[in-house]
Amino acid sequence: MSQNDDPPRRPVQRILREVIAPEPMHPGLIPGIGVEATGRAFPTNWLVLGIAGAAMIAVIVWAFLSPEGIAAVGSTSLDWVTEHFGWLFTALTIAVAIFMLVVGYGRTGGVRLGADDEEPEFSRVSWIAMLFSAGVGIGLIFYGPMEPLTFFLDVPHGFDVEPGTSDAMQTALAQTMLHWGPMAWAYYALVGGAIAYVSYRRGRAPLISSIFDSVFSKRTQGVLGPVVDIAAIIVTLFGTAVSLGIGALQIASGFEVVTGLGDLGNGFLVGAIAVLTALFIISAVSGVKRGIRILSNVNMVVAGALGLFVLVAGPTLALANLIPASAVTFVTELGTMLMRNNGNGAETAEFMQAWTTYYWAWWVSWTPFVGMFIAKISRGRTLREYVTVVVVAPSVVSLLWFGIIGGTSMILESEGAGISEAGTPEAMFFALLQELPIGLITSAVALVAIVIFFVTSADSASIVMGSISQRGRPEPTRGVTIFWGLMLGLIAAGLLLAGGQDALSGLQSLMVVTALPFVFVVLGVMWAWAKDLRSDPYMIRRRFAKAAIAEGVRVGIAEHGDDFVFGASEMHGERAAGAWLDSEDPALSDWYTEAQTGAIDVVEPQPEIEPAASEPRDAIEPPEGDSRS
């Protein structure tokens, strides 16, 4: 046969791939597979990087050219979103909380975020510390005294209490816990758990778009995936920039208190953000295992010591009564707080826009950033442990923190301290400390805590945005991480220089607006993750065990009375443990095979082809007896 008569090579290559593919494994025996074991490449996604970067630069330019414009557009957009979709944010919050309770404490509680035998990478203490540093950060210091004090002096709709009373203290802390407690952490747990599951058990890229592979298949790797990833970066930028801007203002306020200097001006803000940007970039390129873990552990000690000092030096006995009473009030008044809506009047609608709806949108906008970071640090945990620690533990700590800091501010305010008259919200925490012994020293400690919170929030966000820009790369390259770190620093400095509080308030409003499309992404995450969990190997084994035990007990009693033990034996028909399952269904095991070897082509019947003289016959025919021919 001449060279021109050689048969085409493509069918031969396709058959070879089928020959060397591993034998399918029973879906109940699949152990799970991490993304790093798949041989997946993580090149930079220049489309995602370019569009998200351009959008961020456009916001910075807009803030510089027209800070009043960004504030006006943000305010108008916020009014429209809260008026027409405030109910949707509340409904989503309730749905997410219920979903996570079912996932953690229902039948799926034993599913592991990783392979069956995988152990957690971080200690529980470091895990919780990193959760707090990324998930709440600066907000604990900024809102600690301010939010409960606001609700204490101006009681929200639905609470039948008088402002400024002890009952108002309990409802104020209950309202604060609605915003900062289990509802907020359920959002983070949902996205973080879903990403950890698909990445470390299903072998997909650690991206929000990868969660939808089971629903939209290859389309998530085409057009839909980049759209979701770009949106994730944009809402992360907006949400993080708001926190960094607040943090910079509070650092300036604290520095004024500690040093005794007057108004420091924009020069100090620029210098502070430049130094902090350098610090969080160094922490980010050091990685999660080194920089972020160490800083998070340090900050947990610093913040814990600060809270303990306020508890001891402040009204200790009053706080000991207030905190548990507020926890009970939160439970009993939960329905009242969740039923509050725009239909209760203009005053309530204004409250919802300024507080509850704003918070729900803020947590939605932070879900890509905090969720992806939580996924990185939660590998190896079971879903029951994961939900307990990510939802319950931070909520308890938040109750203690706001109970101590907010409770002290309310008690001192009722005694005439005038903390609410501190001038600006960022100054209230320092005004509180000045009412207690060694106020100057504790203010310096609080300033250190704010700086570390600033650094840990920004470095976590830089790593996450770098990972998204590189198709889910677990450890993004230094260049990309540094790029996003610089952009975060620039946007925070730019907004403060351009318009100060006006530009920040405009960005806060725009953050709520950009969070609206992500509501539908979060709804889709619940749907897609639930679909994956139903076919998880653990769930298959669990159902096998339930059927086998039920039938085994029946047979054992029938044949041996009280005296029998279990053993496995072959059984056919409806009484078999796996009668309900089609174990050869490709949907149950193909994901594992593809994760190991890459997608395997479907081999169509090919005409018999004589091999070329230089090509041995067994190059295109499987060995004798191979069942995969």
Side-chain angles (χ1 to χ4, degrees), residues 59-60 62-63 67 70-71 74-75 234 237-245 358 491-492 495 500-514:
V59 171
I60 295 176
W62 186 11
I70 194 173
S75 177
I234 290 175
L237 274 168
F238 279 22
T240 309
V242 167
S243 295
L244 298 187
Y358 169 76
I491 195 171
L495 287 168
Q501 287 283 10
D502 288 338
L504 273 178
S505 63
L507 186 65
Q508 287 175 303
S509 300
L510 288 177
M511 178 269 295
V512 175
V513 177
T514 57

Side-chain angles (χ1 to χ4, degrees), residues 286-584:
S286 298
V288 176
K289 297 180 182 179
R290 294 181 59 192
I292 296 177
R293 179 180 61 83
I294 294 172
L295 284 176
S296 298
N297 288 338
V298 169
N299 213 32
M300 186 171 69
V301 173
V302 173
L306 198 60
L308 183 62
F309 169 80
V310 175
L311 175 64
V312 174
T316 309
L317 292 178
L319 294 177
N321 288 305
L322 175 62
I323 293 173
S326 300
V328 175
T329 303
F330 169 74
V331 176
T332 57
E333 296 286 358
L334 183 60
T336 299
M337 294 184 288
L338 291 176
M339 287 189 295
R340 193 180 294 133
N341 60 77
N342 294 344
N344 297 133
E347 186 176 342
T348 303
E350 183 179 350
F351 172 85
M352 294 295 291
Q353 176 178 308
W355 292 101
T356 304
T357 303
Y358 169 76
Y359 269 121
W360 299 155
W362 198 1
W363 303 145
V364 168
S365 73
W366 268 44
T367 53
F369 150 44
V370 181
M372 286 188 66
F373 183 75
I374 289 177
K376 289 177 181 292
I377 63 176
S378 302
R379 185 171 185 171
R381 310 283 178 177
T382 64
L383 283 177
R384 185 166 292 113
E385 180 187 15
Y386 172 82
V387 171
T388 300
V389 171
V390 176
V391 177
V392 179
S395 299
V396 172
V397 178
S398 294
L399 173 65
L400 294 174
W401 176 266
F402 283 100
I404 293 171
I405 304 301
T408 301
S409 69
M410 290 186 290
I411 292 170
L412 294 180
E413 180 79 14
S414 66
E415 295 174 353
I419 295 174
S420 60
E421 302 172 0
T424 58
E426 58 266 17
M428 285 188 182
F429 192 86
F430 298 101
L432 168 66
L433 295 178
Q434 296 304 305
E435 297 291 331
L436 302 175
I438 59 172
L440 189 62
I441 296 176
T442 53
S443 294
V445 174
L447 187 59
V448 171
I450 296 168
V451 168
I452 300 178
F453 272 133
F454 187 108
V455 171
T456 51
S457 295
D459 60 11
S460 304
S462 300
I463 287 178
V464 166
M465 289 187 291
S467 179
I468 297 174
S469 304
Q470 296 189 292
R471 304 179 192 273
R473 189 184 182 101
E475 296 292 338
T477 59
R478 290 188 176 186
V480 173
T481 302
I482 292 173
F483 168 78
W484 285 119
L486 289 172
M487 293 301 101
L488 273 176
L490 285 173
I491 195 171
L495 287 168
L496 291 173
L497 285 175
Q501 287 283 10
D502 288 338
L504 273 178
S505 63
L507 186 65
Q508 287 175 303
S509 300
L510 288 177
M511 178 269 295
V512 175
V513 177
T514 57
L516 178 59
F518 233 81
V519 166
F520 302 100
V521 174
V522 173
L523 286 169
V525 167
M526 288 190 285
W527 173 33
W529 192 18
K531 183 177 180 181
D532 272 334
L533 286 172
R534 281 196 296 268
S535 62
D536 186 85
Y538 171 87
M539 300 300 293
I540 294 174
R541 292 194 298 270
R542 190 179 186 278
R543 189 165 176 182
F544 263 89
K546 183 178 180 181
I549 290 173
E551 185 60 26
V553 169
R554 192 191 70 79
V555 173
I557 294 175
E559 296 184 0
H560 307 290
D562 298 336
D563 305 315
F564 71 92
V565 295
F566 274 100
S569 59
E570 189 173 8
M571 177 69 71
H572 298 285
E574 294 183 358
R575 295 171 60 188
W580 58 275
L581 178 69
D582 177 10
S583 59
E584 296 183 0

